[in-house]
């Protein structure tokens, strides 16, 4: 298994994962709203869409540079991470430096822990010494993932436009 940049060779498995998340209603908001038909028709355009926030691109107001990494096993897409290179006011409140998701059929197999560990290594390469990672307060699986990676709870918070309380953790990017 490895974390890699999004790539055309994982198209079939990625699209299957999106369909799986949409069928179960279980995934990050953008995954649940992806238009699979459009992605099937022009996957290179979708990949370009994912790369629009990478360094070197002009950012829309309110956005920060970021990158996606996909956890794959051979040609099988298992999950993804979004690594934000800096934080703006909204990300300091909700979202943090790293977000991740595992496709529904691959959950509870340690993949989230792998994704977060690899994302923390990448964050360290970017000069981030301690990464902010958030999760819904009732998401015990994500909380355990963050704690397994050394996360220290800052507290529980309510944030505007989010229906549930969230937990904010600071996670060192260098091994202890």
């Amino acid at each position: 298994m490895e974390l890699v940049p999004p790539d055309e060779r994982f198209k079939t498995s990625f699209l299957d994962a999106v369909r799986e998340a949409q069928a179960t209603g279980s995934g990050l908001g953008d995954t649940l709203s992806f238009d699979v038909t459009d992605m099937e028709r022009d996957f290179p355009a979708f990949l370009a869409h994912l790369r629009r926030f990478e360094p070197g691109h002009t950012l829309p107001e309110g956005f920060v540079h970021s990158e996606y990494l996909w956890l794959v096993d051979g040609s099988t897409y298992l999950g993804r991470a979004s690594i934000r290179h800096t934080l703006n006011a909204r990300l300091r409140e909700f979202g943090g430096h790293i977000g991740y998701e595992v496709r529904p059929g691959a959950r509870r197999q340690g993949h989230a822990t792998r994704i977060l560990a690899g994302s923390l290594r990448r964050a360290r390469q970017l000069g981030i010494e301690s990464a902010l990672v958030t999760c819904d307060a009732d998401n015990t699986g994500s909380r355990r993932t963050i704690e397994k990676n050394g996360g220290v709870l800052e507290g529980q918070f309510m944030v505007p436009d989010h229906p549930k309380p969230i937990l904010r953790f600071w996670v060192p990017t260098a091994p202890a």
Side-chain angles (χ1 to χ4, degrees):
M1 275 179 242
E2 58 184 331
L3 275 175
V4 299
D7 190 279
E8 176 87 28
R9 62 194 158 141
F10 307 110
K11 174 183 176 180
T12 300
S13 184
F14 176 81
L15 294 176
D16 288 346
V18 171
R19 285 186 196 94
E20 185 181 314
Q22 291 177 348
T24 63
S26 177
L28 297 177
D30 57 348
T31 301
L32 297 178
S33 66
F34 285 153
D35 185 326
V36 176
T37 303
D38 282 350
M39 290 190 310
E40 282 178 317
R41 190 178 358 211
D42 193 354
F43 201 68
F46 171 72
L47 294 176
H49 177 76
L50 291 181
R51 294 186 180 105
R52 72 193 184 282
F53 299 119
E54 291 180 355
H57 291 91
T58 303
L59 298 175
E61 183 69 31
F63 286 83
V64 300
H65 285 115
S66 62
E67 63 190 71
Y68 282 98
L69 293 174
W70 289 357
L71 180 68
V72 297
D73 187 6
S75 62
T76 303
Y77 169 89
L78 299 169
R80 67 177 172 141
S82 175
I83 304 169
R84 292 109 188 175
H85 296 195
T86 58
L87 298 177
N88 59 22
R90 174 71 174 156
L91 290 170
R92 275 188 203 90
E93 209 174 57
F94 178 71
H97 287 100
I98 300 169
Y100 54 88
E101 122 180 277
V102 175
R103 69 186 296 170
R107 292 183 182 155
R108 297 180 178 234
Q109 299 173 33
H111 300 313
T113 300
R114 284 183 197 88
I115 291 170
L116 183 53
S119 298
L120 290 165
R121 285 190 295 276
R122 176 65 183 134
R124 181 66 171 183
Q125 293 170 349
L126 295 167
I128 300 166
E129 292 183 20
S130 187
L132 177 61
V133 183
T134 69
C135 68
D136 287 344
D138 63 356
N139 188 338
T140 55
S142 195
R143 180 180 186 150
R144 279 195 302 268
T145 293
I146 297 165
E147 290 173 341
K148 283 181 192 174
N149 278 281
V152 176
L153 181 64
E154 177 185 4
Q156 180 171 306
F157 304 88
M158 290 300 300
V159 296
D161 302 320
H162 191 71
K164 300 177 180 182
I166 62 142
L167 303 176
R168 285 200 300 250
F169 294 86
W170 288 96
V171 189
T173 59

